[in-house]
Amino acid sequence: MCWYSTLLWFTFAQAMARPTDSQCVLDLKRERAKCSFNKEEITNLLDGGVEKTANRRQIEDLFLSDPEFLDPIRPEYMSHEDRYANELRKACHMVRKFNEDEKVQQIVGQMEGIRTLMGSGLGVALTKDGNPLALHYVMFLPAIMGHGTVDQQAEWMGRAWAGQIFGTYAQTELGHGTFLRGLETTATYDPDTQEFVLHSPTITATKWWPGGLGKTVNYAVVMAQLYTKGTCHGIHPFIVQLRDEETHQSMPGVTVGEIGPRLGLNTNDNGFLRFDHCRIPRTNLLMKHSKVLEDGTYVKPANDKLAYGTMVFVRVAICFDSYRQLQRAVTIATRYSAVRHQSELVPGAPEPQILDYQTQQYKLLPQIATIFGIHFATKDVWDTYNEVTGNIQVGNLDLLPELHALSCGLKALSSGDASSGIETCRLACGGHGYLSSSNLPRIYTTTTAAITYEGENTVMWLQVARYLIKSYREARQGLALHHSVSYLSAQPASTHTTSQLSNAGLVEAYKATVSSMVSETAARLQEYCDMGRPFEHAWNSSSVLLVKCAQAHIRYFTCEKYVVGVENPGLSEGVQNVLRQLCRLYLIYHITLNQGDFLRSGALTGYNMSILEGEMCRLLAALRPDAVSLVDSFDVHDRILDSTLGCWDGNVYQRMFDEAQKSPLNQTDVPEAYYKYLRPLLKANL
């Protein structure tokens, strides 16, 4: 027998030795029988309460049972235009269902409901590769609410909520993204006609990327440089009609279209937009914070920080979305790891579940722990945001800078951790994770986009760093600091002993480490300035260290909120025990990944590290029996998972085979391409 035949026989024999789907189902049943806690309690915790869990399940049942949301074939087998049309069909049906179904409205709530629905796991599952109407609810409406006067809200919100018009948010340009001051689109006021003239003076001024812009929406909130009386007053938001409400033809002076295929979200209808002296009424400038009078007089906002509120809202929403995507990925990978049997732990013994391998546990269990960490930290910032929103109404803006820094940092941490975690989950599924039908590739491409949109993460980290350095300098002057940075006023302890390795002790180690990093980086920054470098160049020369400081700060903040969250006295003993273990794993995991920082600061010793590494291995083993039950507690519906590998019943292999049969290439035994290309080549070589 030749080596190739031997290999084929060995592969076949291995496949025959692996469990049947009935065995896979039994594997998951056995896993669920090991559960040590109340899964429903964790579901309620993540949803925000028993009532919210019940509402979510009701709305999922109402939408997932609707056949209008089914795809005629897998979207991957459709043309680009057909995929867009299919998702637009479902998005429009979603809006109609929400507007016309009183039961849906009662469950979700009229105003916030559809916006939440569009961004939820359900919304993502219903419109798989991007919702062309999502930006209307997630950005267009909040922009009008956040920047429009009461009269402007009355003029635009009713029509927009009713679906009589659809809009997007056009900020990013070909030449500039996060650096808003560099945007080139202009809006010049003409007092003779009381109009603004929007213009794209260069190719790099072309608006680029807004979702829904290409072929879907007929309005946009456009960010442009406001000019009046010969003076530029910076970036301001304008409502601009892009397409005729009856014919959908582009308006005069407007050139709009789709930007072409992307890594993911290819039915999101991302578009480009150019203006050629396009005129709009003066009152289309959203004037809640600043305004232009009829004669062209500019009235500046009472405070430049007032615009932070809308940005904070969007970034906090990204944090929630990111960990929900990670929930989907780790649910798929964990269930698959419980039914997949591979190799031998003991020679001659049956192949174990791959979840029994410590290396697999190390890939997946920290991702489960991460979900709760992001949840507790984001919930804290969300609660603060709601408090700050109330304070803004009475003119109190004290907490806005801290909230801005926290939302920037958490947006960067959650999107970064979720993206890398999802890729880890894909890799944990081996070759099968590379299949489109696993849904892991789509979950990854959807989530990794959040690293860039609404503030590229490196820029976000540098925003946090700027706040840290400012706070550090204020602390040196004896000024009081806000809570999240109050540690910069204190002198951290230099070392930790074994007895201080409690959760509280580890949080102190995080605090001491980030304090040391900020102090050292601030000193380096000052040293560069003392050498005669302009501050901007000194900042750039320190930027790698500044980003590390920002990352350490937000990780410390997350750890602090995690520890507080798991000590909730309202939790049952079983839930509290498993959450404490996950919290402990999270604390230790990120310490071991950044050992150098903790050792360098003196917060921990090499001996401490050795103890923690051993404990981490024990935690992996302790959490292993609850792994499947933990992902079950995320309560992600099979239709929302949309994965051949991650379904509740574990019927993996039959689903994979059935899905493969749906390929258009499998509808005939011999494809047309054989006769057109391969057969002539074979004949020519005879």
Side-chain angles (χ1 to χ4, degrees):
M1 185 181 290
C2 72
W3 71 269
Y4 181 67
S5 299
T6 303
L7 179 61
L8 283 177
W9 170 253
F10 177 77
T11 303
F12 175 76
Q14 286 287 93
M16 291 297 98
R18 290 183 186 130
T20 63
D21 278 326
S22 60
Q23 290 174 303
C24 294
V25 172
L26 289 174
D27 280 334
L28 283 184
K29 285 184 178 179
R30 284 191 288 265
E31 291 294 327
R32 290 174 176 132
K34 302 173 187 176
C35 183
S36 69
F37 61 92
N38 183 338
K39 290 187 282 189
E40 186 71 6
E41 186 178 339
I42 286 187
T43 304
N44 299 155
L45 173 72
L46 293 172
D47 281 335
V50 174
E51 184 178 353
K52 288 187 177 180
T53 295
N55 287 347
R56 174 182 56 78
R57 287 172 176 164
Q58 277 187 281
I59 205 71
E60 286 177 0
D61 288 343
L62 283 170
F63 278 83
L64 294 175
S65 62
D66 188 336
E68 287 296 315
F69 290 112
L70 295 174
D71 296 312
I73 59 173
R74 278 196 74 87
E76 289 84 354
Y77 299 140
M78 298 180 186
S79 69
H80 183 57
E81 186 172 359
D82 286 345
R83 288 177 77 171
Y84 163 71
N86 183 53
E87 299 304 343
L88 182 60
R89 171 186 66 81
K90 291 188 290 182
C92 291
H93 183 65
M94 186 187 301
V95 174
R96 281 195 299 271
K97 192 175 182 73
F98 186 88
N99 287 340
E100 298 169 6
D101 193 322
E102 292 183 4
K103 187 174 183 180
V104 172
Q105 294 176 13
Q106 289 171 359
I107 295 171
V108 195
Q110 177 65 39
M111 294 298 282
E112 291 297 324
I114 193 165
R115 185 166 65 197
T116 302
L117 178 63
M118 287 285 181
S120 68
L122 173 62
V124 171
L126 293 177
T127 52
K128 292 183 171 63
D129 202 19
N131 186 330
L133 298 180
L135 266 288
H136 174 73
Y137 295 98
V138 176
M139 289 296 295
F140 182 70
L141 290 171
I144 297 173
M145 289 292 292
H147 297 284
T149 65
V150 173
D151 289 342
Q152 288 176 319
Q153 291 177 27
E155 178 182 358
W156 296 102
M157 291 298 290
R159 298 181 68 210
W161 274 115
Q164 295 171 6
I165 61 172
F166 285 102
T168 188
Y169 182 80
Q171 175 172 292
T172 299
E173 297 175 355
L174 263 176
H176 292 89
T178 306
F179 182 59
L180 299 188
R181 293 196 302 277
L183 296 180
E184 298 176 81
T185 300
T186 59
T188 305
Y189 185 63
D190 181 352
D192 293 335
T193 61
Q194 294 190 28
E195 293 175 314
F196 282 99
V197 182
L198 275 81
H199 187 59
S200 306
T202 64
I203 187 66
T204 51
T206 304
K207 295 296 182 183
W208 196 269
W209 278 113
L213 176 62
K215 298 295 177 182
T216 306
V217 304
N218 49 14
Y219 282 82
V221 170
V222 176
M223 301 301 286
Q225 302 281 2
L226 189 158
Y227 284 84
T228 181
K229 294 186 174 182
T231 301
C232 178
H233 294 280
I235 295 298
H236 287 69
F238 300 82
I239 294 185
V240 184
Q241 184 174 357
L242 307 179
R243 293 180 180 274
D244 185 275
E245 291 187 26
E246 292 296 326
T247 67
H248 210 58
Q249 293 291 321
S250 301
M251 298 295 288
V254 172
T255 301
V256 62
E258 197 226 20
I259 63 173
R262 284 80 70 190
L263 177 66
L265 298 172
N266 276 294
T267 55
N268 216 38
D269 191 24
N270 298 88
F272 64 81
L273 171 65
R274 289 184 58 78
F275 297 107
D276 183 3
H277 300 92
C278 174
R279 289 179 171 266
I280 61 172
R282 176 185 67 89
T283 52
N284 280 29
L285 165 65
L286 293 175
M287 300 191 198
K288 184 176 186 178
H289 304 307
S290 57
K291 60 187 68 176
V292 171
L293 304 181
E294 292 182 4
D295 66 355
T297 300
Y298 178 76
V299 181
K300 67 180 182 179
N303 192 299
D304 291 338
K305 298 182 178 66
L306 287 171
Y308 281 179
T310 303
M311 291 187 290
V312 169
F313 169 83
V314 172
R315 286 167 184 158
V316 171
I318 290 171
C319 296
F320 283 119
D321 291 345
S322 294
Y323 88 67
R324 289 183 186 120
Q325 295 285 19
L326 182 56
Q327 281 181 331
R328 297 171 76 194
V330 77
T331 297
I332 294 166
T334 301
R335 287 179 181 167
Y336 175 72
S337 297
V339 303
R340 178 71 168 181
H341 291 245
Q342 189 74 45
S343 302
E344 294 177 342
L345 272 174
V346 179
E351 292 181 287
Q353 297 160 282
I354 60 174
L355 193 53
D356 288 336
Y357 291 101
Q358 188 183 76
T359 50
Q360 191 76 348
Q361 296 162 16
Y362 184 74
K363 292 174 185 175
L364 300 180
L365 292 171
Q367 310 312 325
I368 296 175
T370 293
I371 288 163
F372 291 96
I374 297 175
H375 169 80
F376 287 121
T378 303
K379 184 178 183 300
D380 182 87
V381 173
W382 178 248
D383 291 342
T384 304
Y385 166 77
N386 288 322
E387 177 188 343
V388 168
T389 301
N391 290 340
I392 289 174
Q393 305 306 317
V394 295
N396 184 353
L397 308 177
D398 290 349
L399 288 176
L400 265 180
E402 179 182 42
L403 187 61
H404 174 67
L406 287 173
S407 64
C408 286
L410 269 179
K411 182 268 181 186
L413 181 133
S414 60
S415 59
D417 282 1
S419 295
S420 62
I422 291 164
E423 175 66 355
T424 297
C425 290
R426 184 189 69 79
L427 294 170
C429 294
H432 295 338
Y434 197 69
L435 280 171
S436 175
S437 68
S438 76
N439 204 28
L440 290 166
R442 183 186 293 129
I443 294 172
Y444 175 76
T445 56
T446 298
T447 308
T448 195
I451 288 177
T452 304
Y453 62 64
E454 295 310 314
E456 194 277 331
N457 279 6
T458 300
V459 177
M460 294 294 94
W461 287 127
L462 289 170
Q463 291 270 333
V464 178
R466 195 169 296 278
Y467 180 68
L468 287 176
I469 295 300
K470 180 176 181 290
S471 299
Y472 177 82
R473 290 179 170 178
E474 289 175 349
R476 301 286 77 75
Q477 298 168 16
L479 300 177
L481 302 181
H482 289 297
H483 171 73
S484 70
V485 289
S486 59
Y487 63 87
L488 295 174
S489 298
Q491 291 296 320
S494 58
T495 60
H496 276 249
T497 64
T498 307
S499 62
Q500 293 173 305
L501 297 185
S502 63
N503 279 355
L506 293 186
V507 171
E508 286 297 314
Y510 275 95
K511 181 196 295 186
T513 298
V514 66
S515 180
S516 174
M517 293 170 68
V518 172
S519 177
E520 185 176 325
T521 302
R524 185 175 302 223
L525 184 62
Q526 186 60 50
E527 181 182 349
Y528 287 148
C529 291
D530 292 343
M531 293 166 57
R533 292 192 192 182
F535 178 80
E536 295 78 9
H537 292 286
W539 181 269
N540 184 50
S541 296
S542 308
S543 57
V544 171
L545 297 177
L546 288 163
V547 166
K548 289 189 66 177
C549 288
Q551 291 170 335
H553 169 68
I554 297 299
R555 188 71 68 189
Y556 156 65
F557 175 82
T558 302
C559 291
E560 182 184 46
K561 300 307 173 186
Y562 205 156
V563 171
V564 172
V566 301
E567 295 304 324
N568 182 344
L571 299 174
S572 67
E573 182 180 359
V575 166
Q576 192 163 58
N577 285 342
V578 75
L579 290 182
R580 281 172 174 166
Q581 288 178 317
L582 288 168
C583 177
R584 185 73 177 169
L585 176 62
Y586 185 87
L587 296 175
I588 296 174
Y589 179 76
H590 287 287
I591 286 173
T592 59
L593 289 181
N594 299 278
Q595 294 186 32
D597 295 331
F598 288 87
L599 293 171
R600 183 173 176 179
S601 69
L604 293 172
T605 67
Y607 180 65
N608 296 150
M609 291 295 178
S610 179
I611 292 173
L612 291 175
E613 285 176 336
E615 184 181 354
M616 182 174 67
C617 294
R618 292 191 295 275
L619 281 168
L620 294 175
L623 285 163
R624 157 66 183 89
D626 279 322
V628 168
S629 294
L630 279 165
V631 299
D632 284 352
S633 73
F634 299 154
D635 198 31
V636 186
H637 196 286
D638 274 359
R639 282 275 304 282
I640 295 174
L641 285 179
D642 194 28
S643 172
T644 53
L645 305 186
C647 285
W648 171 269
D649 63 11
N651 195 10
V652 170
Y653 300 116
Q654 188 63 52
R655 278 195 173 86
M656 290 175 65
F657 188 80
D658 291 345
E659 200 61 45
Q661 306 314 301
K662 299 175 185 177
S663 169
L665 287 176
N666 290 330
Q667 305 317 302
T668 58
D669 185 35
V670 180
E672 182 182 343
Y674 166 79
Y675 298 104
K676 193 172 182 179
Y677 303 112
L678 184 57
R679 192 169 187 272
L681 178 64
L682 292 170
K683 292 295 185 182
N685 291 335
L686 287 177

